[in-house]
Amino acid sequence: MASWSHVTVARAILTSATLTSLSESKPEQTLELVRSCWKREPICTSVVITFWQRYLCELGADVVAPA
């Protein structure tokens, strides 16, 4: 079991969650990066985040884009 320090907790709270490094990439590449994170060993908060990411991906897949 991994041990997380107070510094790790503070960094997680204070660090932006945006995908700024991918601002130039295509949406498909960004989605693939997010999905690759789902395969990593989870920490306590990543379980909830992964659940909502997967839910929103499924919800988005059900939406039909207007013609």
Side-chain angles (χ1 to χ4, degrees):
M1 180 173 224
S3 175
W4 300 96
S5 70
H6 292 98
V7 175
T8 304
V9 173
R11 192 177 324 151
I13 292 171
L14 300 173
T15 304
S16 173
T18 60
L19 298 171
T20 55
S21 62
L22 297 174
S23 61
E24 301 287 325
S25 65
K26 296 179 182 178
E28 296 83 12
Q29 292 171 324
T30 302
L31 184 57
E32 189 55 40
L33 174 68
V34 170
R35 286 182 172 156
S36 71
C37 292
W38 299 346
K39 297 175 185 172
R40 295 182 188 165
E41 185 175 343
I43 60 172
C44 59
T45 56
S46 65
V47 173
V48 175
I49 293 167
T50 299
F51 169 81
W52 284 109
Q53 287 175 341
R54 289 176 182 243
Y55 174 77
L56 292 172
C57 285
E58 289 294 320
L59 185 65
D62 291 339
V63 175
V64 177

